[in-house]
Amino acid sequence: MAGTLYLCATPIGNLGDMTPRVVETLRSVDVIAAEDTRNSIKLLNHFEIHTPMTSYHEYNKVEKAKQLVGQLLNGQDIALITDAGTPAISDPGEVLVQMCHESGVNVTSLPGAAACITALTLSGLSTRRFCFEGFLPADKKEKKLVLQDLKEETRTMILYEAPHHLVRTLEELYEVLGQRKITLCRELTKRFETVFPTTLQEALAYYEKEEPRGEYVLVLEGKSFAQMRQEEIRSWENMSIEEHMAYYEGQGMDNKAAMKQVAKDRGVGKRDIYAYLHGES
């Protein structure tokens, strides 16, 4: 019988956030696959966990995943941990999970800390609808496409960024998205936890003077429906009313229906369009 892969969430800063279930599982499995064994040994020592570890990271994620799946198929139970937080979120663990599903290996997740959700709840921005982008791509062309996509995103966006790239990322976000509300979070759950609600422009001004320190979670306001509506109206205003009418009539609308739709597009009354077309003051 095949073993089970356990995705074990570890603290993102505060060791008190380690769950008893994760501690018990890490003690009972055959092997712990860790992103950085040098970092994880400190965590295991703190909780007196003596299970053997093996490294599983970005640079060996494909070949090592094949090896780990082989061990699972031979009946071993394996726990996967990342340096901090929940494995497989912006993390090479997703490759191992995919291979397990393809091989029929059971996978279960032991929930716990996740920096993206922690930051979202602290941000003061809308939590009803949100999306997680993680780190922006390093490739310039790919990053440009992603930023253009984010420009039209109406949900709250969550991104990760390293301190030495923070200012550049804020510049790129401001250049493409314009002024938006943003909350920058760092040192989450730790003694010097910082939650900084501001705007993109103000954040840029601040970090051009203050050196960024620590890993950041950026929670960014999505485009509002009101803003989308204003942009739509402006796009129609670049067209004359006669051209606007011809556009809908060319699609088979009669004069009355076209007039109603033109008025709706432009955010004005139908009588205003009628008056214009018939030369009424």
Side-chain angles (χ1 to χ4, degrees):
M1 181 182 293
T4 297
L5 176 68
Y6 296 89
L7 307 178
C8 295
T10 55
I12 58 176
N14 192 316
L15 291 177
D17 294 332
M18 187 81 153
T19 71
R21 185 179 172 213
V22 167
V23 173
E24 180 184 347
T25 299
L26 293 179
R27 286 175 178 161
S28 65
V29 294
D30 297 293
V31 179
I32 297 172
E35 184 176 8
D36 187 338
T37 55
R38 296 166 300 178
N39 178 68
S40 295
I41 192 64
K42 302 172 188 175
L43 178 74
L44 300 191
N45 286 341
H46 179 84
F47 289 100
E48 299 181 350
I49 298 167
H50 306 295
T51 306
M53 273 195 297
T54 187
S55 64
Y56 177 75
H57 48 71
E58 181 65 28
Y59 303 104
N60 72 353
K61 63 185 179 183
V62 176
E63 288 305 313
K64 193 58 175 283
K66 294 176 182 177
Q67 178 185 324
L68 293 172
V69 168
Q71 292 175 237
L72 287 158
L73 289 171
N74 284 330
Q76 290 193 1
D77 289 329
I78 297 177
L80 178 67
I81 60 175
T82 185
D83 279 350
T86 301
I89 296 180
S90 195
D91 174 83
E94 66 176 328
V95 174
L96 178 56
V97 173
Q98 289 168 2
M99 286 194 184
C100 283
H101 286 311
E102 290 167 0
S103 302
V105 172
N106 184 52
V107 180
T108 189
S109 181
L110 282 61
C116 53
I117 297 300
T118 304
L120 176 65
T121 60
L122 290 171
S123 69
L125 298 174
S126 174
T127 61
R128 189 179 73 84
R129 299 171 64 248
F130 60 91
C131 64
F132 176 68
E133 186 61 40
F135 289 95
L136 290 173
D139 181 80
K140 290 183 179 180
K141 290 183 179 179
E142 187 180 352
K143 183 192 291 186
K144 185 178 180 180
L145 291 173
V146 170
L147 288 171
Q148 286 298 324
D149 193 37
L150 292 180
K151 181 180 180 181
E152 303 304 320
E153 179 60 68
T154 59
R155 297 170 292 181
T156 300
M157 296 164 274
I158 308 170
L159 299 90
Y160 288 162
E161 193 50 274
H164 53 288
H165 290 150
L166 180 66
V167 171
R168 185 185 68 188
T169 294
L170 291 173
E171 288 173 343
E172 291 169 336
L173 288 169
Y174 182 62
E175 180 182 343
V176 177
L177 277 65
Q179 184 68 306
R180 299 280 183 93
K181 291 179 182 179
I182 186 173
T183 299
L184 298 95
C185 301
R186 58 181 291 275
E187 298 293 297
L188 289 170
T189 75
K190 299 179 184 178
R191 182 180 177 185
F192 297 107
E193 176 179 277
T194 303
V195 179
F196 180 25
T198 182
T199 64
L200 277 173
Q201 189 176 35
E202 290 168 350
L204 257 176
Y206 179 84
Y207 284 109
E208 283 172 349
K209 297 176 182 178
E210 297 288 332
E211 182 183 359
R213 297 180 184 276
E215 300 295 319
Y216 285 80
V217 183
L218 312 180
V219 187
L220 189 62
E221 175 185 40
K223 178 182 282 190
S224 70
F225 289 109
Q227 183 182 355
M228 292 177 68
R229 176 62 179 147
Q230 286 301 314
E231 290 178 359
E232 183 184 16
I233 290 173
R234 283 196 296 271
S235 71
W236 287 119
E237 287 174 347
N238 291 330
M239 183 185 291
S240 71
I241 291 178
E242 289 84 357
E243 290 171 333
H244 203 161
M245 286 288 294
Y247 171 78
Y248 284 120
E249 289 176 336
Q251 294 183 15
M253 284 190 182
D254 60 30
N255 184 264
K256 185 177 180 181
M259 201 178 299
K260 182 179 180 181
Q261 188 59 49
V262 168
K264 182 179 179 181
D265 288 345
R266 292 173 175 262
V268 299
K270 181 181 173 182
R271 289 184 178 182
D272 296 321
I273 304 298
Y274 181 89
Y276 172 86
L277 292 172
H278 291 80
E280 299 177 6
S281 57

